[in-house]
Protein backbone atom coordinates (compact mmCIF):
# COMPACT_ATOMS: atom_id res chain seq x y z
CA UNK A 1 0.00 0.00 0.00
CA UNK A 2 2.84 2.42 0.71
CA UNK A 3 5.38 1.23 -1.87
CA UNK A 4 5.28 4.65 -3.59
CA UNK A 5 6.73 6.24 -0.46
CA UNK A 6 10.00 4.34 -0.86
CA UNK A 7 10.04 4.67 -4.65
CA UNK A 8 9.74 8.47 -4.50
CA UNK A 9 12.02 8.90 -1.48
CA UNK A 10 14.62 6.11 -1.72
CA UNK A 11 17.27 8.13 0.15
CA UNK A 12 15.05 9.15 3.09
CA UNK A 13 15.28 7.02 6.21
CA UNK A 14 13.67 9.29 8.83
CA UNK A 15 9.88 9.27 9.18
CA UNK A 16 7.58 10.78 11.78
CA UNK A 17 4.05 9.36 11.65
CA UNK A 18 1.07 11.35 12.93
CA UNK A 19 -0.61 8.66 15.04
CA UNK A 20 -4.14 9.39 16.25
CA UNK A 21 -5.04 5.83 17.27
CA UNK A 22 -7.79 5.69 14.64
CA UNK A 23 -7.92 3.04 11.93
CA UNK A 24 -6.20 5.11 9.20
CA UNK A 25 -3.07 6.02 11.14
CA UNK A 26 -2.88 2.55 12.76
CA UNK A 27 -2.90 0.93 9.30
CA UNK A 28 -0.20 3.36 8.15
CA UNK A 29 1.94 2.49 11.19
CA UNK A 30 1.67 -1.27 10.59
CA UNK A 31 2.42 -0.76 6.89
CA UNK A 32 5.62 1.05 7.93
CA UNK A 33 6.52 -1.77 10.31
CA UNK A 34 5.99 -4.25 7.48
CA UNK A 35 8.36 -2.33 5.16
CA UNK A 36 10.88 -1.82 7.95
CA UNK A 37 11.53 -5.55 7.87
CA UNK A 38 12.64 -5.15 4.26
CA UNK A 39 14.44 -1.80 4.65
CA UNK A 40 16.38 -2.04 7.89
CA UNK A 41 17.70 1.53 7.68
CA UNK A 42 14.24 3.06 8.12
CA UNK A 43 13.84 4.98 11.39
CA UNK A 44 10.24 5.43 12.51
CA UNK A 45 9.03 7.79 15.21
CA UNK A 46 5.42 8.58 16.09
CA UNK A 47 3.67 11.64 17.45
CA UNK A 48 0.27 11.64 19.12
CA UNK A 49 -1.55 14.95 19.63
CA UNK A 50 -4.39 14.80 22.14
CA UNK A 51 -7.15 17.24 21.09
CA UNK A 52 -8.99 16.87 24.43
CA UNK A 53 -12.36 16.73 22.68
CA UNK A 54 -13.97 13.85 24.59
CA UNK A 55 -13.38 10.95 27.00
CA UNK A 56 -12.02 8.81 24.16
CA UNK A 57 -9.12 11.22 23.74
CA UNK A 58 -7.33 9.72 26.74
CA UNK A 59 -8.07 6.17 25.56
CA UNK A 60 -6.54 6.95 22.16
CA UNK A 61 -3.44 8.37 23.83
CA UNK A 62 -3.02 5.26 26.00
CA UNK A 63 -3.53 2.95 23.01
CA UNK A 64 -0.90 4.79 20.94
CA UNK A 65 1.50 4.50 23.86
CA UNK A 66 0.79 0.78 24.15
CA UNK A 67 1.34 -0.17 20.49
CA UNK A 68 4.45 2.02 20.16
CA UNK A 69 5.95 0.47 23.27
CA UNK A 70 5.19 -3.03 21.96
CA UNK A 71 6.88 -2.36 18.61
CA UNK A 72 9.68 -0.20 20.05
CA UNK A 73 8.63 2.96 18.25
CA UNK A 74 9.69 6.23 19.95
CA UNK A 75 6.50 8.18 20.70
CA UNK A 76 5.98 11.88 21.34
CA UNK A 77 2.78 12.73 23.24
CA UNK A 78 1.50 16.28 23.43
CA UNK A 79 -1.88 18.01 23.45
CA UNK A 80 -3.84 21.03 22.22
CA UNK A 81 -5.85 23.03 24.79
CA UNK A 82 -9.55 23.07 24.02
CA UNK A 83 -11.09 26.48 23.23
CA UNK A 84 -14.60 27.80 23.73
CA UNK A 85 -14.46 30.04 20.65
CA UNK A 86 -12.68 29.53 17.34
CA UNK A 87 -11.90 32.44 15.01
CA UNK A 88 -11.80 30.31 11.84
CA UNK A 89 -13.75 27.30 13.16
CA UNK A 90 -12.50 24.34 15.23
CA UNK A 91 -11.14 22.33 12.27
CA UNK A 92 -8.90 25.16 11.08
CA UNK A 93 -7.82 25.95 14.66
CA UNK A 94 -6.73 22.36 15.38
CA UNK A 95 -5.05 22.04 11.98
CA UNK A 96 -2.93 25.15 12.52
CA UNK A 97 -1.98 24.01 16.03
CA UNK A 98 -1.04 20.53 14.81
CA UNK A 99 1.39 21.86 12.21
CA UNK A 100 3.07 24.14 14.73
CA UNK A 101 3.61 21.06 16.91
CA UNK A 102 4.87 18.97 13.99
CA UNK A 103 7.35 21.70 13.07
CA UNK A 104 8.59 21.82 16.66
CA UNK A 105 9.36 18.09 16.91
CA UNK A 106 10.49 17.20 13.38
CA UNK A 107 14.16 16.33 13.03
CA UNK A 108 16.37 17.51 10.18
CA UNK A 109 15.55 15.60 6.95
CA UNK A 110 12.64 13.83 8.69
CA UNK A 111 9.40 13.48 6.72
CA UNK A 112 5.99 13.77 8.35
CA UNK A 113 3.59 10.98 7.32
CA UNK A 114 -0.17 11.42 7.59
CA UNK A 115 -2.91 8.88 6.85
CA UNK A 116 -5.05 10.89 4.41
CA UNK A 117 -6.85 8.65 1.92
CA UNK A 118 -9.08 8.87 -1.17
CA UNK A 119 -12.26 9.58 0.81
CA UNK A 120 -10.53 12.58 2.39
CA UNK A 121 -9.78 13.85 -1.12
CA UNK A 122 -13.44 13.81 -2.10
CA UNK A 123 -14.52 15.35 1.20
CA UNK A 124 -12.11 18.21 0.51
CA UNK A 125 -13.75 18.84 -2.87
CA UNK A 126 -17.12 19.47 -1.21
CA UNK A 127 -15.50 21.58 1.51
CA UNK A 128 -13.89 23.67 -1.23
CA UNK A 129 -17.31 24.30 -2.78
CA UNK A 130 -18.63 25.40 0.59
CA UNK A 131 -15.64 27.72 1.19
CA UNK A 132 -15.82 29.22 -2.31
CA UNK A 133 -12.40 27.89 -3.26
CA UNK A 134 -11.16 27.95 -6.83
CA UNK A 135 -8.91 25.55 -8.70
CA UNK A 136 -6.43 25.46 -5.81
CA UNK A 137 -9.02 23.83 -3.55
CA UNK A 138 -10.59 21.66 -6.22
CA UNK A 139 -7.23 20.23 -7.31
CA UNK A 140 -7.18 18.32 -4.03
CA UNK A 141 -4.61 17.11 -1.52
CA UNK A 142 -1.16 16.35 -2.91
CA UNK A 143 0.75 13.14 -2.28
CA UNK A 144 3.59 15.33 -1.04
CA UNK A 145 3.89 19.04 -0.25
CA UNK A 146 5.27 21.61 2.19
CA UNK A 147 2.91 23.09 4.79
CA UNK A 148 4.25 25.71 7.23
CA UNK A 149 7.80 24.54 6.35
CA UNK A 150 6.84 20.95 7.18
CA UNK A 151 7.45 18.28 4.52
CA UNK A 152 4.30 16.13 4.49
CA UNK A 153 3.78 12.87 2.60
CA UNK A 154 0.48 10.95 2.43
CA UNK A 155 1.26 7.34 1.43
CA UNK A 156 -2.38 6.11 1.60
CA UNK A 157 -3.81 8.85 -0.62
CA UNK A 158 -4.72 6.51 -3.50
CA UNK A 159 -6.62 4.03 -1.29
CA UNK A 160 -10.24 4.40 -0.22
CA UNK A 161 -11.66 3.80 3.24
CA UNK A 162 -13.07 0.37 2.36
CA UNK A 163 -9.63 -0.88 1.32
CA UNK A 164 -8.08 0.44 4.54
CA UNK A 165 -10.76 -1.22 6.69
CA UNK A 166 -10.40 -4.46 4.75
CA UNK A 167 -6.61 -4.57 5.33
CA UNK A 168 -7.02 -3.74 9.03
CA UNK A 169 -9.53 -6.56 9.54
CA UNK A 170 -7.40 -9.00 7.58
CA UNK A 171 -4.44 -8.27 9.87
CA UNK A 172 -6.74 -8.29 12.94
CA UNK A 173 -5.66 -4.82 13.99
CA UNK A 174 -7.28 -2.85 16.79
CA UNK A 175 -7.95 0.86 16.84
CA UNK A 176 -9.86 3.53 18.76
CA UNK A 177 -13.08 4.93 17.34
CA UNK A 178 -13.27 8.70 17.76
CA UNK A 179 -16.86 9.59 18.63
CA UNK A 180 -16.42 13.10 17.22
CA UNK A 181 -16.02 11.50 13.77
CA UNK A 182 -19.75 10.65 13.95
CA UNK A 183 -20.79 14.18 14.90
CA UNK A 184 -22.39 15.67 11.77
CA UNK A 185 -22.27 19.19 13.20
CA UNK A 186 -18.70 19.12 11.87
CA UNK A 187 -18.69 19.95 8.14
CA UNK A 188 -16.42 17.07 7.17
CA UNK A 189 -18.54 14.48 9.00
CA UNK A 190 -21.72 15.84 7.42
CA UNK A 191 -20.17 15.40 3.95
CA UNK A 192 -18.88 11.94 4.88
CA UNK A 193 -22.14 10.46 6.19
CA UNK A 194 -24.86 12.49 4.48
CA UNK A 195 -23.38 13.02 1.02
CA UNK A 196 -20.53 10.66 0.11
CA UNK A 197 -22.16 7.55 1.54
CA UNK A 198 -25.28 8.25 -0.56
CA UNK A 199 -23.22 8.89 -3.69
CA UNK A 200 -21.21 5.72 -3.12
CA UNK A 201 -24.41 3.65 -3.04
CA UNK A 202 -25.84 5.32 -6.14
CA UNK A 203 -22.52 5.57 -8.07
CA UNK A 204 -19.98 3.00 -6.80
CA UNK A 205 -17.39 4.43 -9.21
CA UNK A 206 -17.77 8.00 -7.87
CA UNK A 207 -14.64 8.02 -5.69
CA UNK A 208 -12.47 6.66 -8.51
CA UNK A 209 -13.78 9.24 -10.99
CA UNK A 210 -13.36 11.93 -8.38
CA UNK A 211 -9.67 11.02 -8.08
CA UNK A 212 -9.26 11.21 -11.89
CA UNK A 213 -10.90 14.66 -11.99
CA UNK A 214 -8.63 15.85 -9.17
CA UNK A 215 -5.56 14.69 -11.10
CA UNK A 216 -6.70 16.55 -14.25
CA UNK A 217 -7.39 19.73 -12.25
CA UNK A 218 -4.05 19.43 -10.53
CA UNK A 219 -2.19 19.35 -13.87
CA UNK A 220 -4.21 22.30 -15.19
CA UNK A 221 -3.41 24.19 -12.02
CA UNK A 222 0.32 23.59 -12.55
CA UNK A 223 0.09 25.15 -16.02
CA UNK A 224 -1.88 28.14 -14.69
CA UNK A 225 0.52 28.63 -11.77
CA UNK A 226 3.49 28.59 -14.15
CA UNK A 227 2.02 31.41 -16.25
CA UNK A 228 0.94 33.47 -13.24
CA UNK A 229 4.32 33.06 -11.55
CA UNK A 230 6.02 34.62 -14.57
CA UNK A 231 3.89 37.74 -14.18
CA UNK A 232 4.33 37.68 -10.41
CA UNK A 233 8.14 37.53 -10.62
CA UNK A 234 8.14 40.57 -12.91
CA UNK A 235 6.00 42.59 -10.50
CA UNK A 236 7.24 41.50 -7.08
CA UNK A 237 10.14 43.10 -5.27
CA UNK A 238 12.83 41.18 -3.43
CA UNK A 239 11.21 42.08 -0.09
CA UNK A 240 7.94 40.43 -1.17
CA UNK A 241 5.78 43.49 -1.88
CA UNK A 242 3.60 43.38 -5.00
CA UNK A 243 3.73 46.28 -7.49
CA UNK A 244 0.15 47.14 -8.52
CA UNK A 245 0.41 50.32 -10.62
CA UNK A 246 -0.68 48.45 -13.77
CA UNK A 247 -2.93 46.05 -11.90
CA UNK A 248 -6.19 47.49 -13.23
CA UNK A 249 -5.05 46.85 -16.83
CA UNK A 250 -5.22 43.05 -16.49
CA UNK A 251 -8.31 40.83 -16.57
CA UNK A 252 -10.48 40.81 -13.46
CA UNK A 253 -10.25 37.06 -12.77
CA UNK A 254 -6.49 37.17 -13.39
CA UNK A 255 -6.20 39.80 -10.66
CA UNK A 256 -7.74 37.36 -8.17
CA UNK A 257 -5.37 34.58 -9.27
CA UNK A 258 -2.34 36.86 -8.88
CA UNK A 259 -3.45 38.01 -5.43
CA UNK A 260 -4.03 34.42 -4.34
CA UNK A 261 -0.62 33.21 -5.49
CA UNK A 262 1.14 36.28 -4.06
CA UNK A 263 -0.56 35.90 -0.69
CA UNK A 264 0.30 32.21 -0.54
CA UNK A 265 3.89 33.00 -1.49
CA UNK A 266 4.17 35.44 1.42
CA UNK A 267 2.16 33.59 4.10
CA UNK A 268 2.15 29.90 2.99
CA UNK A 269 -1.63 29.99 3.64
CA UNK A 270 -4.23 29.80 0.87
CA UNK A 271 -6.67 32.72 1.20
CA UNK A 272 -10.40 32.32 0.71
CA UNK A 273 -12.37 34.38 -1.80
CA UNK A 274 -13.58 36.85 0.84
CA UNK A 275 -10.02 37.95 1.68
CA UNK A 276 -9.11 38.33 -2.01
CA UNK A 277 -12.29 40.32 -2.66
CA UNK A 278 -11.54 42.71 0.19
CA UNK A 279 -7.94 43.26 -0.94
CA UNK A 280 -9.06 44.00 -4.50
CA UNK A 281 -11.99 46.24 -3.61
CA UNK A 282 -11.01 47.83 -0.30
CA UNK A 283 -7.19 47.99 -0.19
CA UNK A 284 -6.04 48.47 -3.79
CA UNK A 285 -8.39 51.39 -4.75
CA UNK A 286 -7.64 53.48 -1.61
CA UNK A 287 -5.03 56.21 -1.41
CA UNK A 288 -2.13 56.05 1.05
CA UNK A 289 -3.70 58.55 3.46
CA UNK A 290 -6.50 56.15 4.49
CA UNK A 291 -4.01 53.47 5.51
CA UNK A 292 -6.63 50.71 5.80
CA UNK A 293 -5.35 47.26 6.73
CA UNK A 294 -6.69 43.69 6.57
CA UNK A 295 -5.78 41.02 9.11
CA UNK A 296 -5.08 37.64 7.51
CA UNK A 297 -4.25 35.05 10.18
CA UNK A 298 -0.99 36.36 11.73
CA UNK A 299 -0.33 38.73 8.79
CA UNK A 300 -1.27 42.34 8.02
CA UNK A 301 -2.07 43.36 4.43
CA UNK A 302 -1.88 47.00 3.37
CA UNK A 303 -1.07 49.28 0.44
CA UNK A 304 1.65 51.93 0.22
CA UNK A 305 3.07 53.74 -2.84
CA UNK A 306 1.50 51.47 -5.49
CA UNK A 307 2.61 48.31 -3.69
CA UNK A 308 0.82 45.68 -1.60
CA UNK A 309 2.53 44.45 1.56
CA UNK A 310 1.93 41.25 3.53
CA UNK A 311 3.77 41.65 6.82
CA UNK A 312 3.79 39.21 9.71
CA UNK A 313 2.20 40.83 12.72
CA UNK A 314 4.77 41.67 15.36
CA UNK A 315 4.35 42.36 19.03
CA UNK A 316 3.62 45.95 20.02
CA UNK A 317 7.01 47.58 20.51
CA UNK A 318 5.89 51.20 20.83
CA UNK A 319 7.01 51.29 24.45
CA UNK A 320 10.48 49.95 23.62
CA UNK A 321 13.27 52.46 24.09
CA UNK A 322 16.77 51.38 23.05
CA UNK A 323 19.90 53.25 24.06
CA UNK A 324 22.56 53.32 21.35
CA UNK A 325 25.73 54.16 23.24
CA UNK A 326 28.31 53.56 20.54
CA UNK A 327 27.46 54.27 16.90
CA UNK A 328 30.59 52.45 15.73
CA UNK A 329 28.71 49.21 16.46
CA UNK A 330 25.32 48.28 14.88
CA UNK A 331 22.36 48.02 17.24
CA UNK A 332 20.00 45.04 16.95
CA UNK A 333 16.30 45.87 16.73
CA UNK A 334 13.60 43.80 18.47
CA UNK A 335 11.27 41.28 16.77
CA UNK A 336 13.83 40.45 14.04
CA UNK A 337 13.48 43.91 12.49
CA UNK A 338 17.18 43.99 11.63
CA UNK A 339 19.96 46.38 12.63
CA UNK A 340 20.68 50.11 12.63
CA UNK A 341 24.08 51.16 11.30
CA UNK A 342 25.57 54.61 11.95
CA UNK A 343 27.44 56.17 9.00
CA UNK A 344 28.66 59.75 8.67
CA UNK A 345 28.53 59.76 4.87
CA UNK A 346 26.19 57.56 2.90
CA UNK A 347 23.92 58.05 -0.11
CA UNK A 348 21.09 55.91 1.32
CA UNK A 349 18.77 56.37 4.29
CA UNK A 350 17.12 59.38 5.92
CA UNK A 351 19.46 62.33 6.45
CA UNK A 352 19.51 63.45 10.07
CA UNK A 353 22.26 65.08 12.14
CA UNK A 354 25.06 62.73 13.14
CA UNK A 355 25.43 62.63 16.96
CA UNK A 356 28.29 64.48 18.58
CA UNK A 357 31.13 62.62 20.32
CA UNK A 358 29.93 60.75 23.43
CA UNK A 359 26.33 61.76 22.68
CA UNK A 360 23.84 58.95 23.42
CA UNK A 361 21.22 58.08 20.81
CA UNK A 362 17.73 56.92 21.84
CA UNK A 363 15.85 54.63 19.45
CA UNK A 364 12.03 54.63 19.67
CA UNK A 365 9.38 52.87 17.60
CA UNK A 366 6.52 55.34 17.42
CA UNK A 367 6.26 58.46 15.30
CA UNK A 368 3.83 61.34 15.65
CA UNK A 369 3.32 64.71 13.98
CA UNK A 370 5.91 66.41 16.19
CA UNK A 371 9.37 65.50 17.43
CA UNK A 372 11.74 67.09 19.95
CA UNK A 373 15.26 67.98 18.87
CA UNK A 374 18.15 67.88 21.34
CA UNK A 375 15.74 67.89 24.31
CA UNK A 376 14.57 71.40 23.39
CA UNK A 377 10.99 72.43 23.97
CA UNK A 378 10.56 73.62 20.41
CA UNK A 379 8.90 71.11 18.09
CA UNK A 380 9.41 70.56 14.39
CA UNK A 381 7.26 68.74 11.92
CA UNK A 382 8.54 65.29 10.95
CA UNK A 383 8.03 65.72 7.20
CA UNK A 384 9.68 69.14 7.03
CA UNK A 385 12.56 68.03 9.20
CA UNK A 386 13.23 64.80 7.33
CA UNK A 387 13.17 66.71 4.02
CA UNK A 388 15.98 69.04 5.09
CA UNK A 389 19.28 68.19 3.51
CA UNK A 390 22.08 67.35 5.90
CA UNK A 391 25.66 66.38 5.23
CA UNK A 392 25.54 63.48 7.69
CA UNK A 393 23.43 60.35 7.46
CA UNK A 394 22.12 57.74 9.85
CA UNK A 395 21.09 54.55 8.05
Amino acid sequence: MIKNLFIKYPENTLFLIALSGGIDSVVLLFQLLKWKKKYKKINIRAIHINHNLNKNSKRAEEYCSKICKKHQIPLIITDIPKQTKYLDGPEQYFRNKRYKIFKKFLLKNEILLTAHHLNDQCENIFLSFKRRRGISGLSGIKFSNIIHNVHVVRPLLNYNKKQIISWAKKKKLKWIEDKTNKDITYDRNFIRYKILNTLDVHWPYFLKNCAISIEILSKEREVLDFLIKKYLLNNMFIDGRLYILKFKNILNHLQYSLLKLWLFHESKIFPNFNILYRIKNEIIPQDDKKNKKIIFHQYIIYKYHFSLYCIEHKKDIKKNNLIWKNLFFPIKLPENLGFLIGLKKHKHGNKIPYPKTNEIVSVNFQTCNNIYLNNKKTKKKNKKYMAKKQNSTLV
Side-chain angles (χ1 to χ4, degrees), residues 35-153:
W35 281 90
K36 186 173 171 61
K37 292 177 182 178
K38 185 176 181 180
Y39 299 107
K40 304 292 183 182
K41 292 183 179 179
I42 293 174
N43 290 293
I44 306 167
R45 296 194 307 150
I47 182 168
H48 175 80
I49 301 174
N50 190 333
H51 292 64
N52 294 299
L53 290 174
N54 52 49
K55 294 177 181 178
N56 268 7
S57 296
K58 193 64 182 175
R59 283 185 59 220
E61 180 182 310
E62 291 169 352
Y63 178 67
C64 290
S65 181
K66 180 181 176 181
I67 57 174
C68 286
K69 186 177 180 180
K70 180 179 178 180
H71 295 280
Q72 297 181 326
I73 302 295
L75 174 66
I76 301 163
I77 296 177
T78 185
D79 69 341
I80 299 174
K82 191 176 180 181
Q83 302 286 315
T84 53
K85 292 183 180 179
Y86 303 96
L87 184 63
D88 298 309
E91 291 177 60
Q92 188 64 41
Y93 166 78
F94 285 118
R95 184 178 185 272
N96 291 338
K97 288 289 184 182
R98 282 196 299 271
Y99 277 98
K100 284 182 180 179
I101 293 170
F102 293 146
K103 186 177 179 181
K104 177 182 176 182
F105 288 103
L106 269 173
L107 302 175
K108 186 179 180 180
N109 298 324
E110 191 173 39
I111 294 176
L112 175 69
L113 303 179
T114 64
H116 290 92
H117 47 75
L118 189 55
N119 293 60
D120 293 322
Q121 277 278 41
C122 295
E123 289 165 14
N124 271 24
I125 294 293
F126 284 93
L127 285 172
S128 294
F129 285 137
K130 187 232 176 193
R131 294 166 182 167
R132 295 193 293 180
R133 285 284 188 88
I135 194 170
S136 62
L138 296 174
S139 55
I141 308 168
K142 292 185 177 181
F143 178 84
S144 171
N145 64 344
I146 307 293
I147 302 176
H148 299 300
N149 295 318
V150 174
H151 186 185
V152 190
V153 177

Side-chain angles (χ1 to χ4, degrees), residues 218-248:
S218 182
K219 289 177 180 177
E220 290 178 351
R221 178 190 166 188
E222 286 178 12
V223 174
L224 182 63
D225 283 352
F226 174 79
L227 296 173
I228 294 173
K229 278 178 183 176
K230 286 187 71 174
Y231 182 94
L232 200 61
L233 289 172
N234 291 329
N235 291 273
M236 198 168 77
F237 293 90
I238 195 168
D239 61 1
R241 57 196 161 103
L242 180 64
Y243 187 61
I244 54 171
L245 182 61
K246 299 178 182 179
F247 206 67
K248 62 182 179 181

